[in-house]
């Protein structure tokens, strides 16, 4: 199967010296790409700005903003459709939900910044992929939550019409941004879930790929 994986943060520039972003390191997405390649899939990572080595056997497209990430994913899904290939998208990137309405080409002076930052929504990459026709074989999302992770994950799963969402309570020890481990659940649109104990991101990634391979 062709597997496209988004990973890392996106950057939304305000001016040449400032951007909006988040603490994602890309580790989860890179682990998913690695696990998928080891299981023999044809894998492309679409990566935001991260400091990670490309896993062996994985193709990589580097992007900066959410709109660039969206365009890169759409191009890869178009190519898979043209080739008549079965394709899955794993949306592991922490995409910035908003971007400045305008990016200034000149550096803004701090005295001029008060009240000037108007935000507009970025495209939702996972949601757009799940609405494509033909629909990809599987579209998988992530939900990093503080509190009831399963509830937030189920909302995202249904709202974006995903096949399942990997729910992660980032307020729990050992789970979240930059950690080597995660304690996750898979939330399915029918309300069912699979709960896993704390394990390495590498093992979480392998479980995600096995779930994607599942035909039923
Ligand atoms: N996602 C995406 N494109 C976006 C935003 C999110 O593909 N523009 C994907 C992420 O890769 C992840 C999932 O959607 O798989 C996260 O959902 P999202 O609703 O963005 O999560 P939050 O920003 O945490 O949402 P909220 O603040 O509403 O809880």
């Amino acid at each position: 199967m062709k597997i496209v994986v988004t990973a890392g943060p996106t950057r939304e520039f305000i001016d040449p010296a400032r951007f909006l972003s988040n603490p994602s390191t890309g580790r989860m997405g890179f682990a998913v790409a690695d696990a998928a390649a080891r299981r023999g899939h044809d894998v492309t990572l679409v990566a935001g700005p991260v400091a990670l080595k490309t896993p062996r056997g994985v193709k990589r497209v580097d992007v900066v903003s959410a709109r660039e990430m969206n365009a890169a994913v759409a191009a890869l899904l178009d190519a898979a459709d043209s080739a008549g290939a079965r394709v899955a998208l794993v949306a592991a990137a922490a995409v910035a939900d908003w971007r400045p309405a305008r990016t200034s080409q000149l550096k803004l002076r701090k005295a001029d910044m008060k009240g000037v930052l108007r935000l507009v929504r970025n495209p939702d990459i996972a949601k757009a992929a799940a609405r494509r026709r033909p629909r990809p074989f599987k579209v998988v999302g992530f939900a990093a939550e503080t509190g009831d992770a399963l509830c937030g994950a189920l909302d995202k799963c249904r709202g974006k019409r995903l096949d399942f969402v990997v729910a992660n309570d980032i307020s729990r020890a050992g789970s979240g941004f930059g950690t080597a481990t995660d304690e996750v659940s898979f939330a399915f649109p029918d309300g069912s879930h699979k709960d896993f104990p704390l394990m390495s991101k590498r093992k979480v990634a392998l479980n995600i790929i096995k779930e994607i391979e599942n035909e039923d």
Side-chain angles (χ1 to χ4, degrees):
M1 186 181 344
K2 285 190 187 293
I3 301 189
V4 177
V5 184
T6 67
T10 64
R11 287 181 182 171
E12 313 299 328
F13 275 86
I14 299 166
D15 70 12
R18 304 177 179 94
F19 55 76
L20 302 175
S21 194
N22 60 67
S24 169
T25 60
R27 271 174 95 151
M28 188 70 243
F30 276 60
V32 169
D34 186 35
R38 284 174 193 273
R39 287 181 70 80
H41 298 292
D42 175 358
V43 187
T44 307
L45 253 173
V46 180
V50 293
L52 295 174
K53 259 182 57 191
T54 311
R56 185 194 288 262
V58 170
K59 287 167 275 187
R60 174 166 172 179
V61 179
D62 285 314
V63 296
V64 176
S65 68
R67 283 187 296 174
E68 285 172 21
M69 186 174 274
N70 191 42
V73 169
L76 288 161
L77 296 180
D78 284 346
D81 289 347
S82 307
R86 175 177 271 194
V87 63
L89 173 69
V90 183
V95 183
D97 294 308
W98 299 86
R99 68 175 184 276
R102 195 176 148 264
T103 302
S104 173
Q105 298 309 308
L106 299 175
K107 188 181 166 201
L108 299 170
R109 295 287 148 207
K110 55 181 163 294
D112 300 330
M113 288 191 74
K114 202 171 168 198
V116 303
L117 197 58
R118 206 166 57 80
L119 300 176
V120 294
R121 285 300 292 268
N122 266 330
D124 190 312
I125 301 166
K127 189 173 178 175
R131 281 162 199 258
R132 285 174 64 98
R133 293 291 174 272
R135 192 184 186 282
F137 173 59
K138 296 271 173 85
V139 183
V140 180
F142 284 72
E145 308 278 342
T146 53
D148 191 346
L150 259 177
C151 182
L154 183 58
D155 280 353
K156 287 186 175 91
C157 196
R158 289 181 175 158
K160 301 185 195 224
R161 300 193 200 158
L162 307 178
D163 293 277
F164 66 97
V165 165
V166 182
N168 189 359
D169 180 351
I170 57 172
S171 62
R172 256 191 236 162
S175 263
F177 291 121
T179 59
T181 52
D182 272 324
E183 188 174 335
V184 305
S185 299
F186 295 168
F188 297 89
D190 64 0
S192 64
H193 52 95
K194 288 186 185 171
D195 304 326
F196 298 89
L198 188 71
M199 59 178 70
S200 65
K201 279 194 159 76
R202 201 186 156 102
K203 286 205 178 122
V204 171
L206 182 60
N207 284 320
I208 292 169
I209 298 303
K210 286 186 176 164
E211 186 62 45
I212 290 173
E213 290 167 352
N214 204 344
E215 292 280 346
D216 29 74

